[in-house]
Amino acid sequence: MDEQTLIKTSLLEIFNNNGYRDFARMTQRDFEHIGEQLRLKSGILISATTIKRLAYGEFSRLPQIATLNAIANYFSYKTWQDYKADRIKNEPEIQPASKGRHKFRLTYLSILAAVCILAGIYMFSTTKRTVKNAGKAAFSFQKTTSNEIPNSVVFSYNIDQVQADSFFIQQSWDKNRRVKIDKNKYTLTDIYYEPGYHIAKLIANDSAISEVDVSIPTNGWFFYAIDNMANYTPEYIKADQFVTNGSLGLTVAQLLANRIEVNKDKRYHYVYYPDQREVPSDNFKFKTRLRMREVRRSACPYIEVELYCQRSFMILRSTTKGCAHEALVQFGEQVMPGLDTDLMSICFDVSQWTDIEILVKNKITTVKINDKEVHKTRFVTDTKYLTGLGYISNGLCEVDKTELIGLDGKVMYKNDF
């Protein structure tokens, strides 16, 4: 199998894992969803346009290594080379026939068999997607703990009158958190390992037939680390003191005290999720002053500011100008990765104190860095209310001040530390 075929085959497998059986019918939003799944697994965002182009085989040369690594990370491999080597190693060999006629016959029969199998799978999956009486399903939840992390949630459901081949409850965007459920049973206890605003789904076959919003607030700042490659298990960081010399932040000593392996490539999260949601995500102002300190040497250090909404994310990932391909801007449905967007204007030396301002007015977003306007865009998605804010980096952020205020004057968070 050559690399171009492996890329297309891998993407089709990713589509299938996310419930897209026929990628020819996928919409732009579907491709954006796949891009988000890749980002969540790898920290690397591939644009919907790039994913679509690769899936259709519309490329004459191999994509950038970051794109290939993102695909490999999805399958829990650290690099594309590791993934490719393992796939090729496990690919069944076909011994060449002694005569050209036999080789042709074997190839023809192999292709014919593959076509028949794929046709059968498609027909089976098309039939399997049929769901009846979806409107008769019941789905709700109750938290059994307060705001502790991890947090147990009891889901109540009734699918007795729904006709489908299989049923699942998926606690959030992560399909790995999908749990199979059965008729004539009515409760499922699940665990949330990360705080935040989650959308749990009741799934019949491949379709979400009901959703509930599950809020897991933090009662203040919450800290954790995640391996940057092929692992999405949080490592909690307990810190009694996290404000030093007028700045919010952690130290390497605190990481070591929490048995964090600082020699590994990790993403360090500082997040804050309040109980109440009063600031609309289409009219607010966010201002912060920050920098980062490296934990381990990195060719591309970055700081990522995330504003979490009831629907979707708002992300500004800045890095050094030499690593502009790693930058990212996302507001609602507008996803602009540095791989195929010129984001040089939002890049700066992240080791130096920098002022960032994000103003959203009637879904028009203006970004300023050190009082200079560097980016402007408009989104149309109804992202509803802001649910939290976060600082994420491959080093340790230091935050001198933060304020997140609605244009109507309502304050979600304000602190000069």
Side-chain angles (χ1 to χ4, degrees):
M1 181 187 298
D2 59 43
E3 282 194 276
Q4 288 190 336
T5 302
L6 179 58
I7 292 168
K8 290 187 288 184
T9 301
S10 301
L11 285 174
L12 291 177
E13 189 172 339
I14 294 171
F15 296 162
N16 185 69
N17 288 345
N18 285 273
Y20 302 112
R21 306 284 183 178
D22 184 2
F23 82 92
R25 298 182 180 180
M26 290 173 62
T27 65
Q28 182 72 8
R29 182 166 294 183
D30 294 334
F31 286 108
E32 290 172 355
H33 174 75
I34 295 297
E36 180 63 15
Q37 304 314 302
L38 291 169
R39 185 189 75 83
L40 291 168
K41 279 278 190 166
S42 66
I44 301 168
L45 182 67
I46 308 175
S47 70
T49 301
T50 299
I51 294 171
K52 186 176 182 179
R53 178 170 55 81
L54 295 178
Y56 278 94
E58 297 173 354
F59 56 101
S60 56
R61 60 180 182 179
L62 292 179
Q64 297 186 46
I65 189 62
T67 300
L68 297 175
N69 283 342
I71 296 172
N73 296 163
Y74 181 89
F75 295 101
S76 299
Y77 289 83
K78 187 170 183 179
T79 68
W80 173 257
Q81 293 302 323
D82 293 339
Y83 173 67
K84 180 180 70 172
D86 201 38
R87 286 292 294 262
I88 292 176
K89 179 180 68 176
N90 293 320
E91 186 178 356
E93 293 186 12
I94 298 177
Q95 297 297 327
S98 58
K99 295 183 180 180
R101 180 181 299 175
H102 291 167
K103 184 176 181 179
F104 173 79
R105 182 178 297 173
L106 178 60
T107 302
Y108 174 78
L109 292 175
S110 298
I111 293 173
L112 181 61
V115 170
C116 291
I117 292 171
L118 290 173
I121 291 173
Y122 177 77
M123 291 178 65
F124 175 75
S125 63
T126 301
T127 303
K128 191 175 182 178
R129 285 200 297 265
T130 302
V131 178
K132 296 181 179 180
N133 299 328
K136 295 184 179 180
F139 188 41
S140 62
F141 78 97
Q142 181 177 358
K143 290 195 293 185
T144 61
T145 52
S146 56
N147 296 337
E148 300 171 4
I149 306 296
N151 197 300
S152 293
V153 170
V154 177
F155 291 102
S156 299
Y157 63 91
N158 190 324
I159 53 175
D160 289 351
Q161 297 184 62
V162 183
Q163 296 182 27
D165 296 291
S166 57
F167 299 91
F168 306 89
I169 288 178
Q170 183 172 312
Q171 64 168 238
S172 65
W173 56 266
D174 190 354
K175 190 174 181 181
N176 293 325
R177 302 294 185 191
R178 182 177 290 190
V179 179
K180 192 175 187 304
I181 57 175
D182 299 303
K183 291 187 176 184
N184 302 314
K185 294 183 179 180
Y186 305 103
T187 60
L188 171 72
T189 301
D190 207 349
I191 297 177
Y192 283 82
Y193 292 97
E194 293 181 76
Y197 197 89
H198 308 275
I199 303 172
K201 301 178 181 181
L202 176 63
I203 296 174
N205 294 341
D206 301 321
S207 304
I209 60 175
S210 185
E211 297 181 349
V212 291
D213 292 18
V214 181
S215 176
I216 312 290
T218 57
N219 284 338
W221 286 98
F222 189 82
F223 308 95
Y224 59 98
I226 295 178
D227 284 358
N228 205 21
M229 292 290 187
N231 186 0
Y232 211 81
T233 302
E235 299 173 273
Y236 306 131
I237 303 170
K238 295 182 179 180
D240 295 330
Q241 177 66 32
F242 48 83
V243 176
T244 305
N245 298 325
S247 298
L248 168 73
L250 300 174
T251 65
V252 173
Q254 288 173 315
L255 300 183
L256 294 173
N258 283 271
R259 298 183 178 180
I260 305 297
E261 296 183 71
V262 297
N263 62 322
K264 286 189 175 181
D265 187 13
K266 294 181 181 290
R267 286 164 57 87
Y268 296 95
H269 296 241
Y270 306 175
V271 296
Y272 172 84
Y273 293 95
D275 283 306
Q276 302 298 318
R277 289 164 292 281
E278 299 179 327
V279 177
S281 57
D282 53 2
N283 282 284
F284 70 88
K285 178 181 284 188
F286 170 75
K287 297 178 71 175
T288 191
R289 178 175 171 81
L290 77 173
R291 68 179 179 182
M292 67 88 81
R293 296 296 187 192
E294 289 187 321
V295 175
R296 60 190 292 274
R297 290 189 63 84
S298 173
C300 294
Y302 65 84
I303 291 175
E304 185 173 309
V305 176
E306 291 203 24
L307 304 177
Y308 305 99
C309 311
Q310 287 182 297
R311 298 295 182 272
S312 190
F313 306 90
M314 296 186 179
I315 301 172
L316 181 74
R317 184 195 299 153
S318 299
T319 182
T320 59
K321 291 187 180 295
C323 297
H325 68 288
E326 298 283 356
L328 169 68
V329 174
Q330 177 176 347
F331 292 100
E333 81 286 350
Q334 298 295 333
V335 182
M336 291 154 278
L339 285 170
D340 52 20
T341 308
D342 182 3
L343 296 180
M344 192 70 69
S345 62
I346 73 165
C347 295
F348 55 87
D349 183 354
V350 297
S351 68
Q352 302 300 312
W353 286 111
T354 303
D355 290 293
I356 295 177
E357 177 182 314
I358 298 174
L359 173 66
V360 178
K361 187 174 183 179
N362 297 325
K363 299 184 180 180
I364 298 175
T365 303
T366 304
V367 177
K368 291 183 179 180
I369 295 180
N370 290 331
D371 295 322
K372 179 182 178 181
E373 184 176 316
V374 295
H375 186 83
K376 195 164 189 173
T377 190
R378 177 195 296 269
F379 63 94
V380 298
T381 303
D382 181 10
T383 49
K384 298 189 176 182
Y385 285 88
L386 290 169
T387 63
L389 66 95
Y391 295 93
I392 303 169
S393 177
N394 55 353
L396 293 178
C397 288
E398 294 180 349
V399 184
D400 185 54
K401 66 178 181 180
T402 297
E403 64 176 55
L404 183 52
I405 302 174
L407 298 187
D408 58 0
K410 292 182 178 178
V411 178
M412 176 174 160
Y413 187 83
K414 185 174 182 178
N415 199 326
D416 290 331
F417 303 109

